[in-house]
């Protein structure tokens, strides 16, 4: 084996440029830790002339990332283009086929094609590493595949989208409505080109399904995840939650039992005293529970140039050290296919209903809940000046399916002016 590991980098945006800065700045540390010098051979992006704040003069340029992926003189192909298919996927496939290790930060591609790419990488005896794809600088993939490998993992929870956390915490701090804070986040450049990837919970769910696969030895199943974004959270919900001792977070929760795998990414109420509730701004947090370790909490920057590039370089160093772990912690062709289920546990729920201000309406709501076997823990009607009467109900623990039944009955009575806001109250 040579004492140099040669890499090609496709994508020179936030993460790609950050990676080059680390390799240029910390070259001696990297060589000392991995026993090999890390040499960038060639790079690829759309525009050759764009100033990226790094000196690229020592590297060859490839217009086509697929050609870069196939080069005989690289050992590792680093995919930092992004997007679930297109050039990123084609170049990744080409690299694997040509016997190159791959390091990627691309959660969208792995959430959709992780299973097939992992099988292909393992049959070609190359690494496919993706620490940077989940929660940026937080070493959660390594924690699950290595440090916690002896545990039966029982639950994973996390706040995995910094933009949503920024919007929710800013709404709470300023008392301003969702639309205004959404616009502020947009002006600050926090939102993806398609904002629904962030506020619709899609980006965070991409990350959750990758963690589930490692934790439970199951096939990556994005289609089975239940998603709900933060777009319907109002300032009234945030205030009501706060008055009851909770904060609202876009929370990913994944659990498994003999019936199947539950993966949900939804706004939830979490106790104000819990570590998740303390999370402000763009920070991410992942909570992992295992039968031996108990509960561990990982917290840090979930995105950004330095943190994400820090995770990418760690994967490159592991490859330089000769470490070869199956992509999802066990051979990809042994990952189980399990049914997706809504949830494995009972929870209390927060309901905000905008009811018609008429006699007997509240009785109809109570009857619908009672018919589904759901008992009410707390109920309150907000002061209102219009014909719509906002009512907040907190249920005792129940199954989501039963609650859905009750909501369908409430909607059938036309008691509610618009669909209710339903938020799970998560125990942490
Ligand atoms: N940014 C973060 O904080 C973060 C955190 C975690 C994970 N990630 C993931 O990291 C990956 C990269 O993200 P990023 O934020 O660095 O993206 P970015 O700033 O948009 O950079 C994308 C790069 O890919 C290049 N590119 C686009 N299409 C190409 C093609 N067909 N051939 C060659 N190059 C192409 C672009 O070239 P030009 O520069 O010439 O346009 C650009 O340099 C994504 O998968 C993302 O989800 C990012």
């Amino acid at each position: 084996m040579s004492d140099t590991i040669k890499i090609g980098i496709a994508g020179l945006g936030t993460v790609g440029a950050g990676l080059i800065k680390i390799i240029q700045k910390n070259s001696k540390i990297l060589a000392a830790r991995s026993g090999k010098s890390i040499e960038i051979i060639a790079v690829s992006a759309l525009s050759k002339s764009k100033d990226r704040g790094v000196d690229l003069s020592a590297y060859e340029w490839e217009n086509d990332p697929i050609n870069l992926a196939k080069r005989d003189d690289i050992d590792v192909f680093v995919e930092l283009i992004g997007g679930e298919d297109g050039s990123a996927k084609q170049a990744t496939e080409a690299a694997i086929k040509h016997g190159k290790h791959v390091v990627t930060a691309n959660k969208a591609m792995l959430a959709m094609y992780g299973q097939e790419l992992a099988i292909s990488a393992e049959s070609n005896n190359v690494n496919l590493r993706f620490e940077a794809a989940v929660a940026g600088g937080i070493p959660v993939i390594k924690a699950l595949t290595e440090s916690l490998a002896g545990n039966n993992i029982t639950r994973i929870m996390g706040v995995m989208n910094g933009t949503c956390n920024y919007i929710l915490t800013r709404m709470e701090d300023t008392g301003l409505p969702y639309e205004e804070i959404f616009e502020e986040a947009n002006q600050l450049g926090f939102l993806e080109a398609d904002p629904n990837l962030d506020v619709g919970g899609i980006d965070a769910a991409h990350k959750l399904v990758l963690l589930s696969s490692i934790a439970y030895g199951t096939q990556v199943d994005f289609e089975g995840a239940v998603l709900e974004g933060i777009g319907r959270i109002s300032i009234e919900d945030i205030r009501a939650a706060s008055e009851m001792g909770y904060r609202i977070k876009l929370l990913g929760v994944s659990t498994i039992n003999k019936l199947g795998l539950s993966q949900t990414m939804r706004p939830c109420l979490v106790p104000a005293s819990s570590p998740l509730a303390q999370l402000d701004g763009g920070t991410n947090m992942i909570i992992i529970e295992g039968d031996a370790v108990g509960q561990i909490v990982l917290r840090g920057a979930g995105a950004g140039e330095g943190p994400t590039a820090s995770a990418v370089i760690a994967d490159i160093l592991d490859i330089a050290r000769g470490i070869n772990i199956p992509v999802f912690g066990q051979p990809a062709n042994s990952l189980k296919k399990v049914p997706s289920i809504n949830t494995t546990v009972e929870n209390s729920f927060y309901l905000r209903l905008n009811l018609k201000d008429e006699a007997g309406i509240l009785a109809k709501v109570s009857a619908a809940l009672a018919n589904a076997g759901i008992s009410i823990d707390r109920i309150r009607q907000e002061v209102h000046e219009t014909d719509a009467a906002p009512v907040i109900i907190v249920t005792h623990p129940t199954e989501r399916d039963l609650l859905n039944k009750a909501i369908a009955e409430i909607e059938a009575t036309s008691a509610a002016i618009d669909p209710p806001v339903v938020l799970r109250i998560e125990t942490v």
Side-chain angles (χ1 to χ4, degrees):
M1 264 287 244
S2 140
D3 56 5
T4 302
I5 187 141
K6 298 180 175 172
I7 68 172
I9 303 172
L12 301 172
T14 307
V15 187
L19 175 64
I20 294 175
K21 284 181 199 163
I22 296 184
I23 294 174
Q24 292 178 347
K25 181 165 155 265
N26 291 351
S27 63
K28 287 198 180 121
I29 296 173
L30 303 181
R33 291 187 179 153
S34 69
K36 293 198 175 157
S37 53
I38 313 288
E39 187 184 342
I40 302 170
I41 300 295
V43 295
S44 175
L46 287 179
S47 159
K48 193 175 176 183
S49 57
K50 197 189 270 184
D51 178 8
R52 302 170 190 280
V54 283
D55 180 7
L56 302 175
S57 57
Y59 319 135
E60 287 187 44
W61 181 269
E62 292 278 5
N63 283 322
D64 185 348
I66 299 172
N67 289 340
L68 174 61
K70 293 187 202 163
R71 282 177 71 119
D72 288 337
D73 55 356
I74 66 161
D75 305 306
V76 182
F77 175 68
V78 185
E79 185 282 303
L80 300 172
I81 295 172
E84 69 183 50
D85 39 32
S87 298
K89 180 165 178 266
Q90 287 162 19
T92 298
E93 287 167 339
I96 292 171
K97 209 166 131 212
H98 284 77
K100 316 294 173 191
H101 302 291
V102 175
V103 174
T104 179
N106 193 335
K107 58 240 159 193
M109 175 179 77
L110 291 172
M112 303 313 287
Y113 306 107
Q115 181 76 18
E116 65 180 69
L117 289 171
I119 288 176
S120 173
E122 287 164 19
S123 64
N124 281 281
N125 203 25
V126 293
N127 274 290
L128 170 60
R129 308 274 307 211
F130 59 96
E131 183 68 72
V134 181
I138 303 176
V140 60
I141 304 295
K142 210 172 181 64
L144 275 174
T145 50
E146 298 181 43
S147 319
L148 303 175
N151 283 260
N152 176 22
I153 303 294
T154 48
R155 180 166 68 154
I156 297 177
M157 260 186 299
V159 170
M160 305 180 203
N161 182 282
T163 305
C164 288
N165 202 46
Y166 173 86
I167 291 175
L168 292 171
T169 51
R170 280 286 291 162
M171 283 172 72
E172 186 168 0
D173 292 347
T174 61
L176 292 170
Y178 172 82
E179 292 72 20
E180 272 186 53
I181 301 295
F182 175 93
E183 198 39 50
E184 179 184 290
N186 199 19
Q187 296 296 327
L188 290 166
F190 289 175
L191 286 157
E192 299 262 2
D194 172 5
N196 196 41
L197 286 174
D198 285 315
V199 296
I202 299 166
D203 166 84
H206 284 153
K207 300 170 192 171
L208 182 69
V209 301
L210 297 175
L211 296 183
S212 297
S213 181
I214 303 170
Y216 309 121
T218 50
Q219 294 187 9
V220 184
D221 182 15
F222 179 71
E223 298 305 323
V226 178
L227 305 196
E228 200 180 300
I230 61 169
R232 292 199 63 222
I233 301 297
S234 71
I235 202 68
E236 289 74 28
D237 295 318
I238 287 184
R239 261 193 229 119
S242 168
E243 283 163 22
M244 292 187 293
Y246 295 99
R247 292 185 81 188
I248 298 177
K249 298 287 171 192
L250 178 68
L251 190 68
V253 182
S254 127
T255 51
I256 195 165
N257 67 12
K258 57 183 183 319
L259 297 176
L261 173 65
S262 164
Q263 306 179 100
T264 57
M265 183 58 68
R266 287 172 161 152
C268 292
L269 270 63
V270 297
S273 57
S274 69
L276 284 164
Q278 315 304 318
L279 210 57
D280 284 329
T283 316
N284 282 196
M285 182 176 284
I286 318 267
I287 297 180
I288 303 171
E289 292 169 357
D291 59 351
V293 76
Q295 186 183 77
I296 67 159
V297 178
L298 300 170
R299 172 191 178 131
E305 179 184 296
T308 313
S310 158
V312 174
I313 193 67
D315 279 344
I316 296 172
L317 290 191
D318 269 0
I319 292 170
R321 288 165 168 150
I323 295 170
N324 189 352
I325 292 170
V327 180
F328 293 101
Q330 67 182 63
N333 56 18
S334 73
L335 295 169
K336 297 174 299 240
K337 184 159 180 52
V338 294
S340 11
I341 54 173
N342 202 335
T343 183
T344 60
V345 286
E346 292 193 347
N347 287 89
S348 292
F349 288 89
Y350 163 103
L351 288 171
R352 177 167 55 79
L353 299 143
N354 241 352
L355 299 178
K356 283 184 190 155
D357 200 0
E358 291 172 10
I361 287 286
L362 212 47
K364 288 184 184 169
V365 172
S366 309
L369 289 166
N371 290 343
I374 298 170
S375 64
I376 294 172
D377 179 24
R378 279 182 259 182
I379 183 163
R380 78 176 202 209
Q381 185 165 340
E382 304 288 309
V383 181
H384 60 285
E385 283 153 12
T386 61
D387 287 347
V391 170
I392 287 165
I393 294 174
V394 174
T395 72
H396 280 297
T398 184
E399 288 172 23
R400 179 76 193 214
D401 290 344
L402 293 176
L403 187 65
N404 288 347
K405 196 173 147 225
I407 289 168
E409 191 179 326
I410 292 168
E411 289 183 328
T413 65
S414 311
I417 288 166
D418 41 36
V421 170
V422 182
L423 304 174
R424 189 166 68 190
I425 301 180
E426 197 63 48
T427 50
V428 183

